[in-house]
Amino acid sequence: MSLTGLHGTETPNELHRVVLTGFGVISSIGIGAASFADGLRHGRSGARPISAFDTTGFAHAIGCEVVGFDPAQWVHNMPVERLGRASQFSTAAARMAVEDAGLPLDELRAARGLISVGTTDGESFDLERLVQSEIEGGSAGIDPRHARRVRAGRLSASVAQELRLVDVEAVTLSTACAAGNYAIGYGFDAVRTGEVDFALCGGADAMSRKTFAGFYRLGTIAPEVCQPFDRGRKGILTGEGSGMLMLERLSSAQARGARIYAEVLGYGLNCDAYHQVAPNEESVARCMALALENAGVKPGQVDLISAHGTGTKANDVTESHAIRRVFGDEAPRTISMKSMLGHTMGAASALSAIGCALAIDQGFIPPTINHVETDPQCPIDCVPNEAVEADLRVVQNNGLAFGGNNAVVVLGKYQPGS
Amino acid sequence: MTTVSVPAPVISAWSAVSPFGIGVDDFAEGLRSGRPVLTAPASVEGVPPGLSVGMVPDFAVREVLGRSGTRGMDRLTGLAVVAAGHLTETGDLPPGERVGVVLGTTTGSQQSMSDITRDTLIHDKPFYIETAHIPNAIMNSSAGQCAMRYGLKGPNATVAAGRASTLSALMYARRLLAAGRARTVFCGAAEELSSARAWWEWHAGSLTGGTPPLGEGCVLLRLDAAPDEPSRGGLARLVAVEFATHGAESPAQSVEYCVRRALDRAGIMPEAVWAVAAGTSAEGPDTTEWDVLAKIFAGLQPYHVDCLATVGDTGAASAGFQLAAVLASATWTPGVAGRYAAITALDGDGSAGCAVVQLC
Amino acid sequence: MSTIDEQRDVKLKEIICEILELEEDEVTETSLFNEDHGADSLRAIEILASLEKEFGVVIDQSEMARMVNVKGVREVVGEAAGW
């Protein structure tokens, strides 16, 4: 059955329901949706000493690196050496998502699509090598292969080229640490109106010396563990990876008998227009309200919030207070997957959206690990350390970023006819 | 396939910071007079041998924007903030919550990224970096700063698709308006000329057949949701934006596919098109887009806009400059109201696109 | 006060004023960055970072509690640098 063929029952100008039917995951706690789900359920930690760059001179350098990733396993058509590390992640995760969705590639090639990949740093891993070659050999000594690889658009274009998809718009959304949610939201709007048959959306980032040094300089890197909402939290751990999601119309998923992990109910976007790096409580609250309104759900219907939850002093207080503004004293349980994955930057909200959908599908709430004592300034139930069983109908996934770029996605359990 | 039909949004105004100067008047005057702005090859310090460039004249961020809120602001953000500022003066803006910003980019500020990375490698401690420059090295900094400076609290996005970035920004903005997520969007792209960008382009070009003259600047369009009364004002309507992605072997087919489908989507024949504007120059080195346009518009001789030859390769902003040139040229060309223009883009990394606008 | 001390002092004040975006006569020995000059915590980190780089020292973040005015900053940097 075809992605494009079966829409006879729909009337013109009707907005489609949008569902998630396939996931690709490359993370420090597991590669592939099944391994990732297992990691979330067991509260696995991806933290280990950083090996992606020379950490000499930093007092501490723990991060959440992806280990055991062999791009050749997933990248078949593109020469792997022409892809930067982040593009390797996005491309591999995209192929995984297509396979997970059970969509034959020839069918996908006959359909019309959108590929949107969020990122914070693009190919910063390669950028460091480019700059290193410049330091050693002057501007004329820059390695052209690195110069060729560093453009951000390649994170999405490479996905199309690897899968040999022609009838697609490939766009990289460089909206920093909320970029994964931006990408999913963009796919939602495009699929919902019927402009495209499918959207392959998500985010990717590779470990970067520049990013690590930046957060370190701001005093926001934790020495050992990431402890969101904990009284003793000391900051983030930087991470890497990619999460890619297949979005399609409910009707096409049903017609081909696809597994539906969850439904995308809506999303919200806004900008603090306040500070380059400090979040703004009122604006974050407004973004959550916009997302709920777009999804057509009331705050009381939300069963779980997957927080941005970086584990910095400022984020966790601001975000918890914003949640209380919207949800009052009865705020739903609010977890941070960054306790396990570290902050995977542009991949973060894509990976956590996948985590939310897996939680809905499998009926559990991933824990916030490394938790000792909840900060009274963060008055929420963060489901400390142990996953719990739960029937989840509506889950909200927060993504906040430098530049005041906020994006919140709302997912729901797929319920026929609702 | 059921597609929700979306009323075409309106381009109500535009702004440009270009090698011709700051503002739309300088751009229009420079374009019309054909005043040369590209330097002789290799006459600029920090630029690779044999490369000519077009810089925005007298553009020092703190002199143009004042000292308040500009400490640490890089050139790329300065270009975008100035262009956004001009759009805030175009009148009848909705409340800030309803105004979005969508900015296209190649890789943010290559210079800021390079500088911070270099600082982590050459000093006594790897964290001896400039704190105020940390946000500059993240690609969404420019769009965020436009929002901060002018209180634009609607959706704020940064999109990267190489030379197709402005078309992606238009598409993103169009979808925001169609979904009711904003009432007005400032959309376009910025690209700075810096030593880092020049060298990166030069080296990358060495693998792909040469680097054209490099320009810089920012073009932003003010895109408003389609008005209730179709007769109400505006410079042009954005009637179609189409994309395709190509492998190394088939860029021409991708461009042709985009143009033909954009014309279909607009519901017009090639005869209705007054002007065509390609991202690369008819003078080369890569003439793919012009070859395709010659084929599609064979025998019709539409007006040609060749921005690359005029202001240099403005990267992510190139399709923005093409569109700006179309809008400027329309003001001194009689009889174009109601006719159409096609703007194409082709990026070496895989994206091709075409936008069609109808002039008001 | 020796010349080197004076130069150090001039540089230290210059860095602080640059970051606070204030003229040097607006900032006194004891005027408070936050309460009197409206500097947020990120400006404070910026001051710390710039001084570390300028004087080749490393200052523990916990010392920021003392770095509330020029006097406090000079003490903390002086201790780290062994002035």
Side-chain angles (χ1 to χ4, degrees), chain A residues 148-188:
Chain A
R148 185 81 182 85
R149 281 204 292 249
V150 293
R151 294 175 191 155
R154 292 175 62 81
L155 273 67
S156 48
S158 298
V159 170
Q161 290 174 329
E162 166 63 20
L163 300 176
R164 304 218 162 115
L165 304 177
V166 173
D167 193 4
V168 291
E169 177 192 0
V171 62
T172 301
L173 295 175
S174 322
T175 43
C177 303
N181 268 354
Y182 269 82
I184 295 166
Y186 197 37
F188 171 73

Side-chain angles (χ1 to χ4, degrees), chain A residues 112 139 172 182 195 209 402, chain B residues 120 140 156 160 174 203 242:
Chain A
R112 186 149 202 226
S139 296
T172 301
Y182 269 82
E195 283 182 88
R209 180 185 180 88
F402 280 8
Chain B
T120 71
N140 71 342
N156 188 277
R174 205 192 68 141
H203 283 291
E242 297 291 328

Side-chain angles (χ1 to χ4, degrees), chain A residues 5-12 14 16 251 254, chain B residues 2:
Chain A
L6 294 154
H7 342 277
T9 58
E10 284 139 1
T11 51
E14 178 196 350
H16 300 277
S251 54
Q254 284 174 326
Chain B
T2 326

Side-chain angles (χ1 to χ4, degrees), chain A residues 395-408:
Chain A
V395 177
Q396 173 186 314
N397 185 46
N398 288 358
L400 318 176
F402 280 8
N405 285 182
N406 305 316
V408 175

Side-chain angles (χ1 to χ4, degrees), chain B residues 252-331:
Chain B
Q253 290 96 306
S254 285
V255 175
E256 181 171 350
Y257 181 71
C258 292
V259 176
R260 290 199 188 278
R261 207 168 47 193
L263 296 177
D264 275 356
R265 179 64 64 99
I268 57 171
M269 301 298 285
E271 288 79 359
V273 173
W274 159 62
V276 293
T280 44
S281 174
E283 295 162 23
D286 179 358
T287 60
T288 305
E289 286 170 77
W290 287 107
D291 298 343
V292 171
L293 291 170
K295 180 178 164 194
I296 294 174
F297 295 95
L300 293 171
Q301 297 187 317
Y303 180 70
H304 278 195
V305 173
D306 192 336
C307 277
L308 193 145
T310 316
V311 295
D313 181 356
T314 51
S318 53
F321 276 105
Q322 292 155 240
L323 184 47
V326 165
L327 295 172
S329 304
T331 62

